[in-house]
Amino acid sequence: MTRRRTFTLVVLALVLVFVLGSIATIVNTRRQMTHDIDRGLADDLDISMQLYNSFELAEFDELDAFDDLDVVNNPIATILVDPESGEVLVEVPAGPVDDPLARADLSTDRIVDGVGEIFTVDSTDDGPQYRAVVGLLDDARLLALAVPLDSVDRTIRGLSRTLAATLVAMVTLLGVIIFILQRASFRPYDELIDTAEAIADGDMDRRAVMVPADPEIRRLTDSLNTMLDRLQQSLELRRQAEDRVKEFAADASHELRTPLTTIAGYSESYLLGAASDPEVVRKQMTRINSEALRMGRLVNDLLTLARLDQGNGFEARPVVLNSLVEDAVSDAHVTDPSHRVRFEPDHGRRIRVLGDGDALQQVVANLIANTRIHAPGANVEITVDQPDHAHAVVTVADDGPGMSQDIADHVFDRFFRAGESPAADSRSSGLGLSIVAAIVDTHGGTIDLDTTPGAGSRFTITLPTEAGPDPEPS
């Protein structure tokens, strides 16, 4: 509901209440005044009947008797009627003697029918209404008294004008008060509207800062600010994700361009006949094969990351973690027998986790390969432990040169290479540790790096076990 409509409805409601109250006041005032007139009219009838009963009709000369009275204004109209003949014996109009009011419309039949009643009659002309009463005298004559209601009409008209003027003044005053109060009460909503409009215009840092006294509006303000904070965080995360996608695409294009350029160069040289010596051809084909294998590994790594980014998790099955690590170490010994990797399996203890065995073995293999590439000649020690019922921990530690904090902060970034040596760069795509972090995260685990220059590096992987945490005691 708009504030204009609210203001209109409130004012109309007040006007309606006042009008109904005014009508009730006018009706009650008129009823009370009429009641007072009726009571006085009954008393006047008793007095007049006593006066007329004291005279015999033959001894009473109506005209002479009333002519002798020094009356300037008659508040009551008087009519004396003989019911048998229907003759009006006495009739005195109400009002000033020299300019009486219009006569009450009291015919003989109406007087006869109204004996003992008090009733209202109109005037014979456009005069006021009358309140009339009829009494029966001792000699069967009928005496009718009628009081004009012009004073009542004047009072009601004056009261109506007063109430109308009061209504106008009240509506004006209350309208101003309601407008001021409404404007003050809607100020928090105006602040919320201004905030929403500013955000719609791109000001994502805008917040509703007003602290209203109304708890409901305060809750609305707090909820809006919380929603805006979350929205801004979501937009920031989306922007960061888009930036990562763009950077990822640019880096992937760059990484793929190098082997493709090498392959194209050697193949073009061969096609142009520049390489005719069989030894030269063999070297060129070896380089083409090497770059093709490198590009294949890079494409496989990219596909793995893309699958993880799309939320295509691995099939979770019970996996014996220490057996999986033992297989990865054995593969590393076969790949490079000179690489000193030490792992002492505890065959009497089987630590189980839920996950994909191949993916988890790739995690260990990538960490071992990382030490082989970036810390050649270093000793590597791997341990598997279960510190509590809910978690399993794998550590891969080496005594190599370690890393600075700046490098450690980015080792899990995609295509990041520390660049310690050209040889290391040529053998690394910069995706190995990114894949490790993505696989661990997909399995609901965490990976941490503890390293210091000159003191080696330690990767710690924490994974949830197959059984999960112990149930809480009830």
Side-chain angles (χ1 to χ4, degrees):
M1 182 181 294
T2 63
R3 65 185 65 187
R4 180 178 299 178
R5 185 178 179 185
T6 302
F7 176 81
T8 302
L9 290 178
V10 171
V11 172
L12 289 178
L14 291 175
V15 171
L16 178 61
V17 170
F18 187 86
V19 169
L20 293 177
S22 299
I23 292 175
T25 300
I26 292 173
V27 171
N28 288 332
T29 301
R30 188 178 187 89
R31 182 184 295 114
Q32 184 62 42
M33 294 183 69
T34 303
H35 176 72
D36 293 341
I37 290 175
D38 291 347
R39 187 170 54 186
L41 191 58
D43 293 340
D44 291 338
L45 179 63
D46 291 339
I47 296 174
S48 298
M49 289 180 64
Q50 293 176 9
L51 175 63
Y52 278 95
N53 282 328
S54 63
F55 292 97
E56 293 292 339
L57 182 58
E59 300 174 354
F60 188 75
D61 187 348
E62 296 86 1
L63 297 177
D64 293 341
F66 282 95
D67 288 341
D68 293 339
L69 296 176
D70 185 14
V71 177
V72 178
N73 184 74
N74 294 315
I76 301 176
T78 304
I79 301 177
L80 183 63
V81 177
D82 183 358
E84 293 184 359
S85 62
E87 180 183 358
V88 176
L89 303 176
V90 175
E91 183 175 3
V92 179
V97 174
D98 55 350
D99 186 18
L101 296 174
R103 299 177 182 275
D105 188 11
L106 284 172
S107 62
T108 302
D109 294 338
R110 186 69 181 91
I111 293 175
V112 173
D113 294 337
V115 175
E117 297 180 1
I118 298 178
F119 51 91
T120 302
V121 295
D122 296 327
S123 61
T124 56
D125 202 351
D126 294 332
Q129 288 184 318
Y130 286 83
R131 195 69 174 164
V133 63
V134 179
L136 179 63
L137 299 177
D138 294 340
D139 57 2
R141 291 175 297 172
L142 297 177
L143 178 63
L145 302 180
V147 176
L149 298 179
D150 54 344
S151 61
V152 176
D153 294 336
R154 286 194 302 270
T155 301
I156 295 301
R157 285 193 298 270
L159 179 61
S160 298
R161 286 192 295 269
T162 301
L163 291 175
T166 303
L167 174 61
V168 174
M170 182 200 71
V171 170
T172 303
L173 179 61
L174 291 181
V176 173
I177 295 175
I178 293 173
F179 176 78
I180 295 174
L181 294 178
Q182 185 187 52
R183 186 174 182 180
S185 63
F186 273 91
R187 188 174 294 115
Y189 295 103
D190 293 334
E191 173 69 18
L192 296 179
I193 293 173
D194 293 341
T195 301
E197 291 177 348
I199 293 172
D201 292 337
D203 185 5
M204 298 304 299
D205 294 329
R206 179 71 176 271
R207 294 294 182 272
V209 297
M210 179 176 291
V211 182
D214 190 337
E216 297 298 328
I217 303 180
R218 187 184 302 112
R219 287 178 56 192
L220 177 60
T221 302
D222 294 340
S223 299
L224 177 63
N225 288 336
T226 301
M227 180 191 69
L228 293 175
D229 291 338
R230 293 178 179 176
L231 177 61
Q232 187 174 21
Q233 293 174 2
S234 299
L235 292 175
E236 180 63 22
L237 291 175
R238 180 179 178 181
R239 185 191 63 78
Q240 294 175 0
E242 291 177 349
D243 292 342
R244 286 196 300 268
V245 169
K246 293 178 181 178
E247 183 179 357
F248 180 78
D251 290 340
S253 300
H254 174 74
E255 294 295 331
L256 289 172
R257 186 183 299 114
T258 301
L260 286 175
T261 301
T262 302
I263 292 172
Y266 281 123
S267 60
E268 184 178 359
S269 175
Y270 175 78
L271 292 174
L272 292 176
S276 57
D277 188 339
E279 182 63 22
V280 174
V281 172
R282 187 187 66 80
K283 290 182 178 180
Q284 290 181 348
M285 292 301 104
T286 300
R287 289 293 297 133
I288 289 176
N289 182 68
S290 175
E291 292 299 315
L293 292 176
R294 177 187 173 190
M295 187 169 60
R297 290 192 300 270
L298 178 60
V299 170
N300 287 333
D301 290 344
L302 292 175
L303 291 176
T304 299
L305 286 174
R307 182 159 59 98
L308 292 172
D309 288 342
Q310 291 174 359
N312 297 328
F314 301 101
E315 182 180 356
R317 291 178 295 182
V319 176
V320 180
L321 189 59
N322 40 3
S323 297
L324 180 149
V325 173
E326 184 178 4
D327 293 341
V329 172
S330 298
D331 294 343
H333 287 159
V334 172
T335 302
D336 186 358
S338 64
H339 192 201
R340 295 187 295 272
V341 181
R342 181 171 174 267
F343 173 66
E344 295 182 359
D346 184 0
H347 295 290
R349 187 183 187 191
R350 299 167 63 85
I351 300 176
R352 295 179 180 273
V353 296
L354 282 176
D356 185 282
D358 294 336
L360 292 176
Q361 186 170 340
Q362 183 182 4
V363 168
V364 180
N366 283 7
L367 291 176
I368 296 174
N370 183 73
T371 61
R372 184 177 68 251
I373 296 173
H374 298 285
N379 295 308
V380 181
E381 184 174 357
I382 302 177
T383 62
V384 178
D385 193 14
Q386 186 174 356
D388 55 52
H389 187 70
H391 301 92
V393 177
V394 178
T395 59
V396 179
D398 66 73
D399 57 0
M403 291 174 271
S404 66
Q405 188 60 44
D406 291 338
I407 295 177
D409 290 339
H410 297 283
V411 292
F412 296 111
D413 294 346
R414 298 176 183 183
F415 296 109
F416 176 78
R417 288 193 292 264
E420 292 88 347
S421 66
D425 282 350
S426 65
R427 289 176 288 168
S428 172
S429 65
L431 295 177
L433 293 182
S434 300
I435 294 175
V436 168
I439 293 176
V440 171
D441 182 69
T442 303
H443 283 76
T446 60
I447 181 169
D448 298 308
L449 171 61
D450 182 15
T451 182
T452 304
S457 303
R458 175 185 292 270
F459 291 90
T460 303
I461 301 172
T462 303
L463 297 170
T465 60
E466 175 188 1
D470 290 331
E472 296 182 359
S474 58

